[in-house]
Amino acid sequence: GKNYAIRLVHPNLVEQEGTYLSTTMEDIEGNRPYETELNGIKENGEVFHTYYFKNKIDDRVTEKASYAKLYEPFGWVIATGEPLDDIFQYTNEYLYKNDVLYGTLQKRRMVR
């Protein structure tokens, strides 16, 4: 529901530290990532999911993979995420370097 949690720390959005989160908050595509996260935490103590956000650097809408876990001793949920475009870029660079290293460079379909 409304104000179910407080964002204590956010490395990229320091100005949002101390703000309340609500399960009714929507991402830029109309999904409810905090509701998804809370339901996953309640069911399994952890959750992996994706949501959409506007990139601060270039205002592009992109998908982000997120993982959140409940740390019982503190009653904290700690979450982290990474834009899928960044993950795919890293994967493509790794595959290319691997092909060069092992001499298997060929036409490879890049990820995404």
Side-chain angles (χ1 to χ4, degrees), residues 5-18:
I6 299 173
R7 175 176 280 139
L8 293 176
V9 177
H10 195 296
N12 294 330
L13 301 172
V14 177
E15 67 279 1
Q16 288 191 11
E17 291 178 356

Side-chain angles (χ1 to χ4, degrees), residues 35-80:
E35 181 178 47
T36 301
E37 185 175 277
L38 180 59
N39 289 338
I41 293 293
K42 286 167 57 177
E43 290 175 21
N44 302 311
E46 62 186 348
V47 64
F48 176 81
H49 67 105
T50 62
Y51 64 93
Y52 293 87
F53 75 106
K54 187 181 282 191
N55 191 321
K56 280 179 60 174
I57 296 170
D58 59 14
D59 283 342
R60 284 184 324 126
V61 174
T62 186
E63 191 173 14
K64 182 180 264 192
S66 178
Y67 174 76
K69 181 175 178 63
L70 172 64
Y71 287 87
E72 286 279 351
F74 305 104
W76 291 358
V77 172
I78 298 179
T80 187

Side-chain angles (χ1 to χ4, degrees), residues 82-98 110-111:
E82 189 69 29
L84 289 179
D85 289 345
D86 292 355
I87 295 170
F88 295 139
Q89 180 181 355
Y90 172 80
T91 303
N92 287 332
E93 288 174 17
Y94 172 81
L95 291 172
Y96 176 79
K97 289 176 183 177
N98 187 64
M110 298 309 233
V111 177

